[in-house]
Amino acid sequence: MTATVQPASPRLSPLARAKAILGGSAGNLVEWYDWFAYAAFTLYFAPAFFPKGDQTVQLLQAAAVFFLGFVARPIGAWLMGIYADHAGRRAALSASVALMCGGALIIAVTPDFKTIGLWAPAILLLARVLQGLSVGGEYGASATYMSEMAGKARRGFWSSFHYVTLIAGQLLALGVLIVLQRCLPEAELKAWGWRVPFAIGALLAIVVFWIRRGLDESIAFKAPAQRETLSKGQVASAGVLLALTVAAGVTGVTTGPLARPAQMLAAVFLVLFFASLIVPLVRRHPRESLLIMGLTAGGSLTFYVYTTYMQKFLVNTAGFSKGQASEVSALSLIGFMLMQPLAGWLSDKVGRKPMLILAFGGGALSIWPIMTGISRATSVTTALALILAGVAIQSCYTSISAVVKAEMFPAHVRALGVALPYALANVLFGGTAEMVALAFKHEKMESAFYLYVAGVMSLGLICSIVLKDTGRNSLIIED
């Protein structure tokens, strides 16, 4: 298929641009609220879905379901990325929030383990997979849409609101947690109170679905351009490998003699399945795809350490109460959120590349002293100050994460190119952050986890050095 020459696209008015950014941001906030509500309330609902035992073991089981949600994200990224590049950004955004609504509602109404036995964690897993499909598709569609609608002069600033709303979603989930902690006794929170945030998320998703249906399509998608064709062979091979993965995975959770071999086969089939999704994109855009995976590996791992995992780290390692941990996490997230527009604006002035080098180089050097200091902190103020120092460095990446990726790809493959490499790297590093951290703690080697994070951040630093400055070499040329 050959490309056609694109005519000059009309510029958006300031009001239209602000409306588009606000509309995309509102949906992104609710998507990520629903996603992070799971992590924020894990301490309370883990006993309801998993048999009683050691708290760390229960958290590991809940974290495993959290990870399986991440496994679904590349599938959502692939499906929604292709859909967004063919049917439009607006259509994909609406579909992703509909899936999130379904997942949140299922979690809100599912009976506990005492009532329906093993069906409880099975249904929880199904709901989390739906949410994983949704968030996998949401990232690429919303990052692409907001970057395309931002305009060249202030693209770093406006697209930084992608992470503003991502953090705001997590902050809203923590805010709901703090309110419920203040209003309900811990026994009632564990009994039924943890269901409230998921019901709220489902209702908000319905509102956002209506908002997104009224958004304008991006100029980049409306402009005539070539479209990526999807091979029937790729779809068929991916479908077969996914079916084999599911079959082996189901066999692997049994107690028979085939359980262990089936688990190993499921892991092999899963790797082959993901390879079948990413290889065609890597063949067409190798440098861009691999650089996004490297940047995402370091950026997502560190993000989840300082946000999702930090609440549990403050309780299990630093010895703070659950209430103190929630409040420290909320305050650090407020600071983190407010840093995004400033760092995005700065990237418009100095370029994307210097910001990335600072984020990954500074992050690799600072993770050990910051995490060690938090583990030894005796006051909330000290712990908060250390977390804020860490997220300030991380902001140099998070604020421009969406725009850097979007600027690497042409319009006809942009949503897929942004979403799929990001989602795969998230499975390997973001989705496993809690499990790896808790596993190190379980083996009495918690400080080794800090070295692991520093090593992955160093990979991101190498990618930042190799990367061309996307702000000065952007492929977003429509506006």
Side-chain angles (χ1 to χ4, degrees), residues 244-254 262 266:
L244 291 172
T245 301
V246 172
V250 170
T251 305
V253 298
T254 64

Side-chain angles (χ1 to χ4, degrees), residues 99-296:
L99 282 174
M100 183 60 73
C101 176
L105 186 60
I106 289 172
I107 296 176
V109 301
T110 299
D112 61 16
F113 185 86
K114 291 181 180 178
T115 305
I116 59 173
L118 290 175
W119 282 106
I123 294 173
L124 176 66
L125 175 59
L126 171 64
R128 199 59 185 169
V129 167
L130 287 177
Q131 291 187 319
L133 292 171
S134 171
V135 173
E138 168 70 19
Y139 182 87
S142 62
T144 299
Y145 181 78
M146 293 177 70
S147 296
E148 289 174 344
M149 301 297 273
K152 182 178 180 180
R154 297 181 181 177
R155 185 164 281 130
F157 172 76
W158 285 116
S159 64
S160 72
F161 284 88
H162 184 265
Y163 246 93
V164 168
T165 51
L166 189 155
I167 298 168
Q170 186 170 3
L171 187 61
L172 181 59
L174 269 177
V176 172
L177 173 61
I178 291 170
V179 169
L180 290 176
Q181 285 174 331
R182 301 270 183 170
C183 296
L184 294 175
E186 184 167 340
E188 291 189 31
L189 261 176
K190 289 184 176 179
W192 61 269
W194 59 265
R195 298 180 185 275
V196 173
F198 298 105
I200 292 172
L203 291 173
L204 289 175
I206 293 172
V207 174
V208 170
F209 178 84
W210 175 76
I211 292 173
R212 283 187 160 176
R213 294 302 299 170
L215 289 176
D216 291 329
E217 186 55 84
S218 75
I219 293 172
F221 180 78
K222 288 191 292 187
Q226 70 183 84
R227 303 292 180 203
E228 290 288 303
T229 56
L230 186 62
S231 165
K232 292 182 180 179
Q234 183 190 3
V235 175
S237 63
V240 169
L241 288 169
L242 179 59
L244 291 172
T245 301
V246 172
V250 170
T251 305
V253 298
T254 64
T255 57
L258 296 178
R260 184 60 179 171
Q263 291 171 5
M264 297 177 66
L265 274 177
V268 172
F269 287 140
L270 183 62
V271 171
L272 292 174
F273 169 67
F274 285 153
S276 72
L277 301 185
I278 192 66
V279 166
L281 182 66
V282 172
R283 283 176 180 167
R284 295 192 298 270
H285 304 277
R287 179 183 176 87
E288 296 83 358
S289 300
L290 295 176
L291 284 174
I292 287 177
M293 292 183 74
L295 293 172
T296 302

Side-chain angles (χ1 to χ4, degrees), residues 74-87:
I75 305 174
W78 182 61
L79 292 173
M80 291 292 184
I82 293 170
Y83 186 52
D85 286 329
H86 283 75

Side-chain angles (χ1 to χ4, degrees), residues 4 17 37 54 72 74 79 114 185 201 205 234 248 324 338 345 353 358 377 388 411 444 457:
T4 60
R17 197 182 305 281
D54 179 76
L79 292 173
K114 291 181 180 178
Q234 183 190 3
Q324 288 176 317
L338 295 176
W345 170 83
K353 185 168 184 172
L358 177 58
L388 286 174
K444 313 297 182 185
M457 288 290 282

